[in-house]
Amino acid sequence: MDRGRFDRLLPGLATARGYQRAWLRADLVAGLTLVALAIPAGMAYAQAAGLPPVTGLYATIVPLLVYALVGPSRVLVLGPDSSLAPMIAAAVLPLAAGDPDRAVALAGMLALLMGAVLLLGRVLRLGFVTDLLSTPIRVGYLNGIALVVIASQLPKLVGVHVPGGSVPQVLGQTVRAVADGGVEPVAAALGLGALVVIVLVRAVRPAVPGIAVAVVAATVVAALLRRAGLADDVPMAGALPQGLPSPALGGVRVADVLDLVGPSAGIALIAFADTGVLSRTLAGRRGESVDGSAEMGALGLANAASGLLGGFPVSSSASRTPVAVQAGARTQLVGVVAAVALTAFMLLAPGVTATLPTSALAAVVIVAASSFVDLRTVVRLVRMSRTEAALLVAAFVGVAFVGVLPGVVVAVALSLAAFVRNAWNPYRAELGSLEGVPGFHDLSRHPEGQRVPGLVIARFDAPLFFANGDVFDTWVRTLVAQSPTPVRQVIVAAEPLTGVDTTAIDELVELDDHLARHGVDLVFAEMKGPVKDRLIRYGVGARFGPDHFFPTVHSAVREYRRRWDVEDDTDD
C-alpha cells in the first residue's frame, strides 16, 4: 500500500509523522482540560440513556482513542451526546426489562450495528452530503449550536434546576428560576468566578491556558468551601467509578439484533448529520478539508469499538469540541491525552473530580461555545447576498429552535432549491464582436459591440435540464424574432452547457424544428464531448450530425461567413 493511501486510512499516524514539537504543550493542556468536562458529561449522558455511569466513561475513552487514529478531523471530539441519549434509552430499555447488565449489552450491540451502518455508508461513499453544506449553512449551524449549548449551560452556571426543553423554554425557565430566588449562591459564585477568570486570563495572558486555570482554581476553592461546610448544596462532578473498558455483549440474542437494526439506522443518521456538519465547519475555519465519507467511516469505527468494549453509541460533541479548540488543540493527540488521563484517574485517583463544581464546567462550555459565534461572516453575507443570508438564517433557526438534524435538512433543501432556481433562470447572453478585442462578448454589457449580419450567437450559462429547457427554447426564439436582420443561423456557445437530460433534448428538437421552418440552422460551438455523447445516446445524433458542431465560436462564425459569403471581419 502506498503511503498516500495509508495516510488517508490512518490520518492520526500521518499527523504523528509530521508532528511538531511546538504543538505538544497546547495538545497536552487541551487534552487535560477536556478530561474535566468529559467526566461529568459521560456519566450524565449514560444515566440519561438508562445505563450505569461508568459506561459513559467507556464510551468516552474508546472513541477518543479510535478517532485519534482514523478520524480525518484534527480537533473533533467524539463521545456520548445528549441528543442520542433518549434514543438509546428508547431502543434499549424496553428490551432490557429492568436488567442493567442486559441493558449494557444491548447498548453495546446498538453501537455495533450503528457502526456497521456507518461503515456501509463509507463504502458506498454516502458522505457526499457534507458537500452540500455551503458557507451560509455552516455559519448558521455553528451560530445555532452556540446558542443551544450556551442556553443549556446557563442554568448550571447559576446553580438552578430547570426541566429543560427547547432554547426558548430553557431560557424562560432559567429567568423564572432566578426571579423566584432559586439560585444556589455558592454555585453561582464559583461559576461566574470561573467565567471571569477565563476571560481575564485570555485578555491579559493569552499564552496561559485560562480554562485549565479556572477549572483547577474552582476545584480547590470548592474543596475548601466544602471542608468549611459552605458548599454542601453545590452540584459537583463527583468521584469517578473504577474499572477498564471490556466486552459486555453477553446474552444478546438474534431477536434483539433484529429489534435494534431500525433504531441503529436512525441514530446513525442523526449522529453523522451532527458530526459531518461540525467536522466540515471546523475544517473550513482552520483552512483544512475533510472528506465526508472518511468522516462517516471514522464515526462508524469509533461506534463499533465503543460497542465492543462496554460503551454505547456516540457522536461528535458540540460542547466538548469547542472546549478543546479553545484550550489550544492542534492535533489528534488531544484525544489520546484525554483518554489516557481519564483512564489513569479512574484507576489511580478516582476522587480527583469529587469537588469539581458543575457550575465552573458550565462557564468553560459557555466561553468555548461563544467562539463558534461568527457575526462578522453573518454581516458580510447579509451585505453580499440576500439569498445566502436567508439560508444562513434558516440553518440558524432550524438548529437552534427545531433541532440539529431538521435544521440541517431544511437548510440543505433550501440550498438545493436555490441551485435549481439559479439553473432554471440562469444568466444568458447574446454575443457579438468588439473592435480590436479578440473573441465574442456579451452585447448587454457591451452595447457598442456588433452582430454578424444574419447570425445569432447565444450563450446559456447552465446545464440544460427539465426545469430550464423551455426557458432556453423561448429565449432563443425571442433572439431570432428580435434580430435587426433576417436570421440564417443560430450558434449556441455551448461551453457552459455541462449537461443535458431527456426533457431538454425534446426542447432542443422542438427548437430545431421551429428554426428549420423559418429557414434557420441551429449549430453548436465548444460543446463538451460527454454532452455530445449524450445527444447520440438519446437518439438525436442523426439530427445533429458532425457538421452541427464546431470546436470554437470563431470557427463556427468563420464557416458561417464562408457559406453565406458575409464580408465582415470584425471578429478577427
Side-chain angles (χ1 to χ4, degrees):
M1 183 184 298
D2 64 275
R3 173 169 288 189
R5 186 176 180 187
F6 187 80
D7 288 350
R8 287 193 295 272
L9 291 175
L10 299 173
L13 292 184
T15 301
R17 279 202 304 271
Y19 197 85
Q20 298 181 23
R21 194 170 188 176
W23 298 344
L24 183 59
R25 179 178 177 275
D27 281 345
L28 289 174
V29 170
L32 293 174
T33 303
L34 180 60
V35 171
L37 189 62
I39 289 170
M43 292 192 295
Y45 296 150
Q47 290 177 305
L51 301 169
V54 71
T55 60
L57 301 182
Y58 298 162
T60 299
I61 294 170
V62 175
L64 283 175
L65 291 173
V66 172
Y67 190 84
L69 183 64
V70 301
S73 172
R74 289 190 169 206
V75 296
L76 192 70
V77 175
L78 295 191
D81 186 71
S82 59
S83 64
L84 302 187
M87 291 183 286
I88 296 170
V92 167
L93 297 186
L95 299 177
D99 183 344
D101 292 335
R102 180 164 163 75
V104 171
L106 291 169
M109 179 54 65
L110 184 65
L112 270 173
L113 292 171
M114 179 179 163
V117 170
L118 290 166
L119 288 171
L120 177 61
R122 169 68 174 94
V123 172
L124 299 177
R125 298 199 62 80
L126 299 182
F128 68 87
V129 67
T130 59
D131 296 332
L132 304 177
L133 306 174
S134 61
T135 295
I137 292 178
R138 294 199 298 268
V139 174
Y141 167 84
L142 274 190
N143 282 279
I145 283 292
L147 180 58
V148 170
V149 172
I150 291 171
S152 69
Q153 297 300 312
L154 282 176
K156 300 176 184 177
L157 180 70
V158 296
V160 300
H161 299 282
V162 300
S166 64
V167 168
Q169 289 173 330
V170 171
L171 292 176
Q173 293 163 2
T174 303
V175 171
R176 286 192 293 272
V178 172
D180 293 341
V183 173
E184 165 44 57
V186 177
L190 290 169
L192 294 173
L195 191 66
V196 171
V197 168
I198 296 170
V199 173
L200 284 180
V201 170
R202 181 181 298 173
V204 178
R205 299 280 185 181
V208 176
I211 291 177
V213 171
V215 168
V216 172
T219 302
V220 172
V221 171
L224 294 174
L225 292 174
R226 174 169 283 188
R227 186 170 297 177
L230 300 176
D232 294 337
D233 295 329
V234 175
M236 303 290 182
L240 294 170
Q242 292 184 296
L244 288 174
S246 59
L249 295 171
V252 176
R253 301 183 291 266
V254 174
D256 297 325
V257 175
L258 296 178
D259 287 335
L260 293 173
V261 168
S264 70
I267 296 173
L269 174 63
I270 292 175
F272 176 67
D274 200 3
T275 302
V277 178
L278 186 57
S279 173
R280 183 70 175 265
T281 304
L282 288 173
R285 294 185 71 174
R286 293 166 58 90
E288 300 168 353
S289 61
V290 171
D291 178 76
S293 294
E295 192 66 76
M296 181 176 278
L299 181 62
L301 287 172
N303 272 281
S306 177
L308 283 172
L309 295 172
F312 50 81
V314 298
S315 175
S316 64
S317 172
S319 59
R320 279 152 281 163
T321 298
V323 168
V325 172
Q326 280 292 292
R330 301 297 297 271
T331 71
Q332 297 95 323
L333 181 61
V334 170
V336 177
V337 171
V340 171
L342 178 52
T343 303
F345 287 144
M346 291 176 67
L347 294 176
L348 305 176
V352 71
T353 58
T355 59
L356 174 58
T358 57
S359 58
L361 292 175
V364 170
V365 175
I366 288 172
V367 173
S370 66
S371 68
F372 278 1
V373 177
D374 189 356
L375 295 179
R376 181 177 300 177
T377 302
V378 172
V379 173
R380 181 171 63 87
L381 287 175
V382 168
R383 290 175 177 172
M384 291 171 59
S385 169
R386 286 181 295 180
T387 299
E388 297 204 21
L391 290 175
L392 187 153
V393 171
F396 170 77
V397 172
V399 170
F401 298 102
V402 180
V404 171
L405 183 61
V408 172
V409 168
V410 168
V412 169
L414 289 175
S415 291
L416 293 176
F419 169 78
V420 172
R421 176 181 175 274
N422 291 333
W424 166 72
N425 189 29
Y427 187 80
R428 42 199 184 267
E430 182 183 3
L431 306 182
S433 58
L434 297 177
E435 185 176 355
V437 181
F440 295 86
H441 308 275
D442 184 351
L443 292 176
S444 66
R445 300 180 68 86
H446 300 280
E448 73 278 14
Q450 298 180 13
R451 295 175 174 86
V452 179
L455 179 65
V456 168
I457 307 174
R459 191 188 72 207
F460 195 77
D461 293 351
L464 288 176
F465 67 115
F466 64 90
N468 65 15
D470 183 64
V471 174
F472 174 78
D473 184 342
T474 302
W475 174 62
V476 173
R477 295 189 191 200
T478 301
L479 290 179
V480 172
Q482 294 178 350
S483 174
T485 60
V487 177
R488 299 188 184 103
Q489 189 175 82
V490 172
I491 298 175
V492 177
E495 195 273 337
L497 301 183
T498 55
V500 61
D501 68 5
T502 55
T503 304
I505 289 290
D506 292 340
E507 294 288 350
L508 277 178
V509 169
E510 290 183 15
L511 175 62
D512 186 48
D513 288 340
H514 170 80
L515 295 176
R517 287 194 297 268
H518 291 79
V520 180
D521 293 332
L522 176 64
V523 300
F524 305 90
E526 302 179 11
M527 179 172 279
K528 293 176 169 59
V531 181
K532 291 183 192 177
D533 295 341
R534 191 165 294 179
L535 294 178
I536 295 172
R537 190 163 67 250
Y538 289 166
V540 293
R543 174 184 289 266
F544 299 117
D547 59 326
H548 284 70
F549 299 97
F550 296 88
T552 65
V553 175
H554 183 86
S555 63
V557 173
R558 187 170 59 241
E559 173 61 22
Y560 166 80
R561 287 191 176 135
R562 186 199 63 76
R563 177 182 175 188
W564 296 100
D565 195 23
V566 176
E567 297 295 336
D568 188 343
D569 58 356
T570 55
D571 66 301
D572 296 331

